[in-house]
Amino acid sequence: LVQEQRGFRSSKADSSGASNSSGESSKESSRCSTPVLDADRSDRLRDKMRRRIESGDHWFSLEFFPPRTASGAVNLISRFDRMGSGGPLFIDITWHPAGDPGSDKETSSMMIASTAVNYCGLESILHLTCCNQTKDKITGYLGKAKHLGLKNIMALRGDPVGADWEEEEGGFNYAVDLVKHIRSEFDDYFDICVAGYPTGHPEAESYQQDLRHLKEKVDAGADFVITQLFFRAETFLKFLDDCRTIGITCPILPGIFPIQGYQSLRQLVKLSKLEVPEEITSILEPIKDNDAAIRNYGIQLAVEMCRVLLDSGKVPGLHFYTLNREVATMEVLRQLGLWTEDPRRPLPWAVSAHPKRKVEDVRPIFWASRPKSYIYRTQDWDDFPNGRWGNSSSPAFGELNDYYLFYLKSKSSKEALLQMWGEELLSEESVFEVFTFYITAQSNRCGQKVLCLPWNDEPLAQETNLLKDELEKVNRRGVLTINSQPNINGKPSTDPIVGWGPAGGYVYQKAYLEFFTSSENVTALLKVLKKYEPRVNYHIVNVCRPCALHSPVCVCVCARVRVCVCVCV
């Protein structure tokens, strides 16, 4: 009750009142989308892999590359959310030296990987190349990655700037040097991945020599291997057997490339210096101008190859090169039975994968619809609320006296927002309609559905339907709701609408409403609400920063007062 009166929703407890994180299968406990709230648990990526291997559960992972534009970054983050719902064990972000990869730009490799971890809750691997880099610069990149909450590095040599390789004075020549440096400077903090080449590295003197180089990287401290793409299952299985023969015992994940287009295949093959088997080119050539046909063939080919790999009993997981596309990879995973969207929530908010937020099990309920904004606002906190047991002097318990939108823009384009919200607002009623159409999922006068508001870029939660009729009535009258929840009294944690956490628990929450309204209504509310104290808690705010809300709605809405009302049950 103390926690609820403060406006916080506490973590799930089982029927005995004790926090319950045990009893989950290894698959559930190691999925990045369903983390277990246990500060002492071993949550390293290599340990998650080990648990999945021991239990016989197959997994998948996804590779993405940084976009070139800020709008491309917004689209990619949206793709993280969609593809993350299928339960990848991890994702990895490539390192593009020409794109200022270690900077604070929203398109840099470092920032994209940080966003995936902190805002999307995805276990992430940051690629890092060492060619044309000094030791000091690489150490700086690694220190920054650690500060941002990144725990996994894929150590690569990288490609030379020109046609020929030139050694960097005071730098590294090979990936094994980078692996040794990471272990020397950061001990065991990072889990390290290295690359393997099923047909041998194109610059190696021989296949056998390349195998020896791979073993050197593993012996230097690498924890697992992800391979270059290949086109035949037997190519990888032979490579895997050869690695085991020379003593490489760590997990080796096959790199899977679903063919999605003729030109993209040619470009990727050129970069990787691979040859496409004749039985594949003979099928692709006649249909090279038919993108849909090529994608369907690529899906079929990838599914058949992946089934051979998984059925071998030697391959615990599959790593997909997505090319930042989702259709083909998701379809392959669905046909393999690896795409498993879990409707059960570990907590009633999007959980960050940043190490220091692992024990964060309480959040203000009035930030429920703005999870990314809340993480951005609290990113510099050294402590997080923990109900009445926390340190009250911590900055985490300070007043919510500021508001930040997530530094990336809305997932919808400006044109789409104008179609949803209106290019011209003629009266207050025009604003009322925007909010009402959002709540009711009805189309506006232009035939467009309102899918988001400036304060909520996500679809409405299922539990909002329990209040939809009442919310529609008040929004039509100018009480503009931006956050709400129904009262729940002892629903099981497995409930498909309001349930969260492991099975065996119960959900309790109070009714809550956050809204904009006029100053005249506030005067009336102050008289009415006092009659219901202390059962009803409320606070009223008459401060707004229009510059923070880049939308056509903000001018009208900001003239109104924000009110939060909670009812104890």
Side-chain angles (χ1 to χ4, degrees):
L1 181 60
V2 172
Q3 288 178 325
E4 295 290 7
Q5 286 179 336
R6 291 172 61 107
F8 292 103
R9 190 188 324 208
S10 63
S11 63
K12 169 68 62 226
D14 63 14
S15 55
S16 66
S19 179
N20 180 11
S21 62
S22 62
E24 293 191 345
S25 72
S26 61
K27 182 174 182 178
E28 290 168 336
S29 63
S30 51
R31 277 184 55 165
C32 62
S33 55
T34 54
V36 181
L37 295 176
D38 181 355
D40 297 325
R41 82 188 194 282
S42 177
D43 61 352
R44 302 189 66 139
L45 181 52
R46 64 192 184 196
D47 293 326
K48 293 179 182 179
M49 287 186 185
R50 175 183 50 79
R51 292 197 297 270
R52 296 292 283 270
I53 292 172
E54 291 173 351
S55 67
D57 290 329
H58 294 143
W59 75 80
F60 71 92
S61 52
L62 306 168
E63 179 169 296
F64 301 91
F65 61 84
R68 295 183 179 181
T69 65
S71 60
V74 176
N75 293 333
L76 182 58
I77 301 309
S78 301
R79 192 148 295 171
F80 287 171
D81 289 334
R82 291 193 297 272
M83 299 191 76
S85 66
L89 187 65
F90 64 88
I91 70 169
D92 67 312
I93 307 298
T94 62
W95 184 269
H96 286 196
D100 201 3
S103 72
D104 291 333
K105 295 178 182 176
E106 44 192 11
T107 56
S108 73
S109 300
M110 188 78 72
M111 288 299 103
I112 293 295
S114 171
T115 299
V117 167
N118 289 287
Y119 299 98
C120 302
L122 295 170
E123 183 86 59
S124 301
I125 300 175
L126 174 67
H127 287 214
L128 182 61
T129 62
C130 60
C131 70
N132 301 114
Q133 305 275 10
T134 64
K135 289 183 180 180
D136 289 342
K137 181 170 286 189
I138 287 174
T139 302
Y141 288 147
L142 291 166
K144 183 174 182 178
K146 181 178 179 180
H147 174 72
L148 292 172
L150 299 169
K151 302 174 296 179
N152 311 295
I153 298 294
M154 185 162 189
L156 304 165
R157 186 199 71 175
D159 298 320
V161 176
D164 300 320
W165 176 262
E166 294 182 6
E167 294 187 5
E168 175 77 19
E169 184 178 353
F172 302 114
N173 297 320
Y174 303 104
V176 65
D177 299 326
L178 178 55
V179 174
K180 292 178 179 177
H181 180 72
I182 295 173
R183 288 292 178 234
S184 172
E185 295 295 321
F186 292 87
D187 194 28
D188 202 37
Y189 174 81
F190 291 105
D191 281 8
I192 302 176
C193 174
V194 293
Y197 299 87
T199 58
H201 193 283
E203 297 178 19
E205 293 181 3
S206 67
Y207 173 75
Q208 288 71 25
Q209 183 199 55
D210 191 52
L211 284 177
R212 290 193 293 271
H213 288 328
L214 178 59
K215 189 174 190 307
E216 289 174 2
K217 290 188 286 187
V218 174
D219 291 344
D223 296 292
F224 57 98
V225 177
I226 295 178
T227 75
Q228 176 64 280
L229 65 93
F230 52 90
F231 296 100
R232 296 187 179 105
E234 55 267 26
T235 302
F236 175 81
L237 292 175
K238 178 184 182 302
F239 170 74
L240 181 61
D241 289 341
D242 292 340
C243 288
R244 299 303 186 223
T245 299
I246 66 171
I248 300 175
T249 60
C250 67
I252 301 176
L253 310 182
I256 308 299
F257 172 62
I259 299 172
Q260 304 181 58
Y262 186 76
Q263 295 302 326
S264 62
L265 174 63
R266 290 187 60 184
Q267 181 67 14
L268 197 59
V269 166
K270 179 181 177 182
L271 292 173
S272 57
K273 299 179 181 179
L274 293 173
E275 290 187 8
V276 182
E278 194 277 332
E279 66 265 22
I280 295 178
T281 57
S282 63
I283 295 175
L284 290 179
E285 282 296 332
I287 60 173
K288 63 182 181 181
D289 296 323
N290 188 331
D291 290 342
I294 288 181
R295 184 172 63 244
N296 290 336
Y297 170 68
I299 291 172
Q300 175 191 352
L301 189 67
V303 169
E304 292 174 354
M305 186 171 68
C306 290
R307 281 180 176 152
V308 173
L309 294 173
L310 295 175
D311 291 344
S312 72
K314 302 177 181 179
V315 178
L318 305 169
H319 185 71
F320 286 83
Y321 296 108
T322 69
L323 298 185
N324 286 13
R325 302 176 188 173
E326 57 189 297
V327 176
T329 299
M330 288 170 63
E331 181 57 29
V332 171
L333 290 167
R334 286 193 173 100
Q335 291 192 32
L336 293 172
L338 294 179
W339 184 270
T340 53
E341 295 190 27
D342 190 350
R344 191 184 66 191
R345 301 175 295 173
L347 284 171
W349 58 76
V351 180
S352 172
H354 193 292
K356 74 176 183 179
R357 303 190 84 115
K358 292 294 185 184
V359 296
E360 183 183 15
D361 58 0
V362 177
R363 281 194 189 172
I365 56 178
F366 35 79
W367 284 87
S369 63
R370 302 182 290 280
K372 290 183 172 65
S373 300
Y374 180 74
I375 293 173
Y376 181 63
R377 180 187 183 277
T378 60
Q379 61 185 333
D380 294 325
W381 286 2
D382 56 3
D383 191 15
F384 299 96
N386 189 23
R388 55 178 153 176
W389 312 116
N391 179 2
S392 61
S393 64
S394 165
F397 286 86
E399 295 182 1
L400 292 174
N401 56 9
D402 209 344
Y403 179 80
Y404 298 91
L405 290 178
F406 184 47
Y407 63 90
L408 293 175
K409 298 180 294 185
S410 170
K411 290 182 284 190
S412 302
S413 65
K414 180 179 179 181
E415 292 73 20
L417 294 176
L418 287 172
Q419 289 178 351
M420 287 189 284
W421 300 340
E423 299 194 20
E424 184 179 8
L425 300 177
L426 303 176
S427 64
E428 281 192 339
E429 284 68 27
S430 298
V431 181
F432 302 170
E433 288 182 352
V434 173
F435 282 77
T436 302
F437 290 142
Y438 176 65
I439 290 295
T440 59
Q442 297 174 348
S443 299
N444 60 22
R445 297 181 183 182
C446 300
Q448 297 291 326
K449 287 192 174 182
V450 180
L451 303 177
C452 64
L453 292 177
W455 306 273
N456 190 0
D457 206 32
E458 304 294 333
L460 288 173
Q462 282 186 296
E463 67 180 12
T464 304
N465 290 326
L466 302 177
L467 299 170
K468 187 167 70 173
D469 292 342
E470 289 78 7
L471 294 176
E472 179 182 358
K473 292 176 184 177
V474 297
N475 277 281
R476 289 192 185 280
R477 291 178 171 84
V479 175
L480 309 177
T481 61
I482 55 176
N483 201 354
S484 63
Q485 70 178 25
N487 70 296
I488 302 298
N489 189 16
K491 286 278 188 180
S493 58
T494 53
D495 185 275
I497 296 178
V498 300
W500 56 276
Y506 296 90
V507 178
Y508 297 86
Q509 66 185 36
K510 60 184 173 182
Y512 170 82
L513 186 65
E514 182 180 2
F515 56 91
F516 292 113
T517 191
S518 64
S519 299
E520 293 78 10
N521 282 346
V522 169
T523 302
L525 278 171
L526 286 172
K527 295 179 180 178
V528 173
L529 292 175
K530 288 184 181 298
K531 299 179 181 179
Y532 295 93
E533 295 178 351
R535 185 169 182 266
V536 175
N537 311 130
Y538 58 90
H539 64 265
I540 300 172
V541 181
N542 193 20
V543 176
C544 192
R545 291 177 173 83
C547 61
L549 305 173
H550 302 292
S551 72
V553 180
C554 68
V555 176
C556 296
V557 171
C558 289
R560 308 175 81 79
V561 180
R562 196 174 101 194
V563 183
C564 301
V565 178
C566 305
V567 181
C568 295
V569 294

